[in-house]
């Protein structure tokens, strides 16, 4: 049953995640935190933060790690397979068909229509994380870390890797 | 040799692609079009368009498909594994060892310190999706979708899959007037809202 659940938990975000890996993050959270309760919000953040700090596609890293946690190496395989295989098989198997319709307005509408909903899902997650942080470290630390990381990543274009490492260091020293 | 080259091409672009799949697209382009000349710019553009048409992570779709084009099913596997395997293993090793020190105060501090940073990243992503939906649907309609989405998802607890599924079905089977796209989407917004 566990493997079947791992498959479902990553198949659904994979097949609904229009807009690449990031679009499937809140969908994954919905499955692994809310539905199956494999991770707490806090643990999910750790996975997401580390996933962001490491290179490569984000959705597969999360699927691999969470699958591993729930079902060992085979669980990792199932999670990654469920994330990657369906749309890749569609792409290879129905190449001619997909190719024919890639410029169709209906197909283009698919990702356009889904975007606001993905924005809402991401926004709700951002809000949950801010609330979580406010509860655990108070508004001063939260505000400082949020403002500093926004400034560094968005304005000064510092790589997220360094920002995440910095925040880990800040936490180890000031929030321990 | 081809398999090794495929592995190297996607290993390099995977390992250097910080910031998730989309950031590795230009790196994949450099390897596939620039270095190994497996396809030209136009073909690469087609692959990218195809990948964007389908759901799921973009980097793995591109790797799998290009691997398949270059060397069949085996090529698909090699390129795919080169893209995802190294960082998944790294992730599992790092997180499992971190778990062992879970009860140390400094590790708990690290966990707390990173939450606001991830929140900022998500907020930035939220803004990007909102911004690009504004371009596709217009401001009013996007706001309407977002308002409806917040109510359905947050207050009524509807599974996001149901909403996304309904929107996708509408895009495929709903009415479509090329010049009157906006109007068509308004009606669809009312259905889901």
């Amino acid at each position: 049953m566990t493997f079947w659940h791992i498959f479902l938990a990553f198949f659904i975000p994979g097949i609904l995640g229009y807009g690449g890996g990031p679009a499937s993050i809140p969908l994954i959270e919905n499955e692994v935190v809310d539905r199956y309760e494999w991770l707490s919000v806090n643990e999910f953040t750790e996975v997401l933060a580390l996933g962001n700090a490491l290179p490569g596609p984000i959705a597969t890293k999360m699927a691999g790690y969470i699958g591993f946690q729930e079902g060992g190496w085979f669980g990792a395989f199932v999670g990654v397979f469920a994330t990657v295989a369906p749309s890749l098989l569609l792409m290879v198997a129905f190449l001619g068909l997909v190719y024919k319709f890639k410029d169709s307005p209906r197909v283009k509408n698919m990702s356009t229509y889904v975007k606001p909903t993905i924005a809402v899902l991401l926004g709700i997650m951002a809000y949950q994380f801010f609330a979580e942080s406010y509860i655990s470290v108070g508004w001063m630390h939260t505000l400082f870390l949020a403002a500093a990381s926004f400034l560094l990543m968005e304005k000064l274009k510092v790589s997220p890797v360094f920002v995440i490492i910095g925040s880990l260091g800040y936490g180890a020293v000031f929030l321990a | 040799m081809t398999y090794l080259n495929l592995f190297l091409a996607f290993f390099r672009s995977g390992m250097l692609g910080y910031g998730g799949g989309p950031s590795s697209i230009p790196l994949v382009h450099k390897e596939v079009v620039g270095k190994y000349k497996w396809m030209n710019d136009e073909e690469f553009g087609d692959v990218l368009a195809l990948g964007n048409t389908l759901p799921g992570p973009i980097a793995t779709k591109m790797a799998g498909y290009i691997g398949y084009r270059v060397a069949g099913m085996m090529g698909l596997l090699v390129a795919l594994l080169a893209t995802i395997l190294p960082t998944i293993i790294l992730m599992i090793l790092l997180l499992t060892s971190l778990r062992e020190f879970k009860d140390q105060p400094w590790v708990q501090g690290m966990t707390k310190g990173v939450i606001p940073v991830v929140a900022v990243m998500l907020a930035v992503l939220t803004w990007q999706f909102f911004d690009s939906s504004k371009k596709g649907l217009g401001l009013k309609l996007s706001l309407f979708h977002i308002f409806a989405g917040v109510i359905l998802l947050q207050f009524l607890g509807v599974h996001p899959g149901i909403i996304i599924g309904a929107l996708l079905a509408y895009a495929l089977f709903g009415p479509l007037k090329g010049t009157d796209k906006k109007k068509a989407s308004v009606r669809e917004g009312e259905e889901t809202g």
Side-chain angles (χ1 to χ4, degrees), chain A:
Chain A
M1 264 323 255
T2 310
F3 293 121
W4 174 239
H5 285 161
I6 294 175
F7 180 84
L8 281 183
F10 291 101
F11 174 76
I12 297 171
I15 210 72
L16 294 174
Y18 278 83
S24 59
I25 294 172
L27 299 166
I28 294 175
E29 197 226 12
N30 195 72
E31 302 296 317
V32 304
V33 177
D34 299 341
R35 183 200 289 257
Y36 295 111
E37 295 174 1
W38 289 326
L39 302 177
S40 67
V41 175
N42 242 324
E43 289 167 322
F44 187 81
T45 328
E46 278 173 37
V47 177
L48 188 52
L50 194 65
N52 262 323
L54 292 172
I58 178 84
T60 50
K61 267 177 293 183
M62 303 193 72
Y65 174 71
I66 298 169
F68 177 78
Q69 189 195 302
E70 291 307 308
W73 288 105
F74 187 66
F77 171 80
V78 171
V80 173
F81 181 83
T83 304
V84 168
S87 62
L88 183 56
L89 289 178
L90 279 176
M91 187 149 168
V92 174
F94 299 109
L95 178 69
L97 204 64
V98 178
Y99 200 87
K100 204 172 129 196
F101 287 109
K102 84 178 156 61
D103 294 320
S104 132
R106 283 184 187 280
V107 170
K108 285 194 169 155
N109 275 350
M110 289 172 79
S111 57
T112 311
Y113 283 4
V114 164
K115 269 176 190 158
T117 308
I118 302 285
V120 170
L121 288 165
L122 287 163
I124 291 173
M125 265 180 86
Y127 170 77
Q128 284 170 348
F129 282 18
F130 280 124
E132 176 89 25
S133 173
Y134 168 75
I135 291 164
S136 74
V137 302
W139 65 269
M140 292 239 299
H141 284 299
T142 302
L143 197 67
F144 171 74
L145 284 164
S149 59
F150 181 78
L151 207 69
L152 288 169
M153 286 186 293
E154 294 304 308
K155 302 293 165 203
L156 303 174
K157 302 289 170 204
V158 174
S159 157
V161 188
F162 298 117
V163 177
I164 285 180
I165 292 172
S167 73
L168 292 172
Y170 181 92
V173 175
F174 298 108
L175 304 175

Side-chain angles (χ1 to χ4, degrees), chain B residues 75-153:
Chain B
L76 179 149
L77 271 181
V78 169
L80 191 59
L81 289 178
T83 305
I84 63 178
L85 210 53
T87 55
I88 291 180
I89 291 175
L90 209 57
M91 176 117 171
I92 291 176
L93 292 179
L94 284 173
L95 273 173
T96 345
S97 49
L98 196 67
R99 284 285 140 86
E100 285 192 15
F101 302 101
K102 209 172 114 174
D103 298 326
Q104 300 279 337
W106 59 272
V107 174
Q108 291 182 348
M110 284 165 77
T111 307
K112 289 176 193 159
V114 86
I115 295 178
V117 180
V118 177
V120 167
M121 287 173 168
L122 289 167
V124 170
L125 271 178
T126 307
W127 174 252
Q128 284 168 358
F129 271 89
F130 175 65
D131 206 39
S132 95
S133 104
K134 239 175 25 191
K135 276 172 201 133
L137 294 174
L139 178 63
K140 269 192 196 158
L141 202 55
S142 296
L143 286 175
F144 177 76
H145 268 252
I146 283 176
F147 182 69
V150 169
I151 290 180
L152 287 170
L153 292 163

